[in-house]
Amino acid sequence: MKIIIINGPNLNLLGKREPELYGSTTFETYFQELKTKYTSADLEYYQSNIEGEIIDKIQEVGFSYHGIILNAAAYTHTSIGIGDAIKAITTPVIEVHISNTFSREDFRHQSYISPNAKGIVIGFGLKSYELALQSFL
Ligand code: DQA
């Protein structure tokens, strides 16, 4: 089963970015743990700080992969383009967030991803990605 995790802006800084909120593990370390634990999944990871690159990646994988686990980070709350890309593809998308966006500022309560996501996993720390993966498997 081909699954890709796509992370948006500033998530390349996981491990050193606001660790009280996002934890102290780098995503690369966490991703290796996931790969070791879920050997039946053909897991891939992509991160970009650039909106258009995220849209390009969604279009590239969105008609052939079995699942996309997407943390669009701040673009979740602003990007009609990413929302439209999810609407355009056939691969199901699970939206994830590390923090509980609903317990934070009002602007984080809005998501352009959710209306077209298969499901949403929010607020379980890095474990949010694993829960999304388990749902696909
Ligand atoms: C986030 C939540 C977003 O509001 C924020 O902009 C992020 C990370 C999360 O995983 O908790 O960058 O998507």
Side-chain angles (χ1 to χ4, degrees):
M1 193 176 231
K2 207 142 180 49
I3 310 278
I4 185 167
I5 296 174
I6 301 178
N7 271 346
N10 301 306
L11 292 173
N12 55 312
L13 294 180
L14 284 177
K16 51 186 172 194
R17 173 194 180 195
E18 298 175 86
E20 64 293 346
L21 201 54
Y22 298 116
S24 50
T25 308
T26 67
F27 199 81
E28 286 70 20
T29 302
Y30 179 71
F31 182 66
Q32 284 315 317
E33 284 169 20
L34 275 186
K35 275 183 82 108
T36 308
K37 192 164 168 189
Y38 296 94
T39 46
S40 66
D42 186 355
L43 260 188
E44 217 175 292
Y45 170 52
Y46 177 78
Q47 191 277 334
S48 175
N49 293 322
I50 299 166
E51 187 176 9
E53 287 185 355
I54 295 169
I55 293 170
D56 283 347
K57 183 52 82 173
I58 290 169
Q59 291 184 4
E60 181 191 320
V61 302
F63 296 91
S64 54
Y65 284 34
H66 297 101
I68 298 173
I69 297 170
L70 175 64
N71 186 348
Y75 289 143
T76 304
H77 319 299
T78 61
S79 180
I80 296 170
I82 294 178
D84 280 352
I86 291 165
K87 213 184 284 185
I89 61 172
T90 53
T91 299
V93 173
I94 297 182
E95 174 182 359
V96 307
H97 296 286
I98 298 165
S99 63
N100 179 356
T101 46
F102 291 100
S103 68
R104 301 179 63 192
E105 303 94 322
D106 285 353
F107 67 84
R108 293 184 206 276
H109 301 179
Q110 158 81 12
S111 169
Y112 286 101
I113 313 299
S114 302
N116 296 298
K118 179 176 195 274
I120 303 165
V121 187
I122 294 179
F124 293 93
L126 287 176
K127 180 105 185 163
S128 295
Y129 294 91
E130 184 174 0
L131 294 172
L133 177 60
Q134 283 174 355
S135 151
F136 277 131
L137 296 175

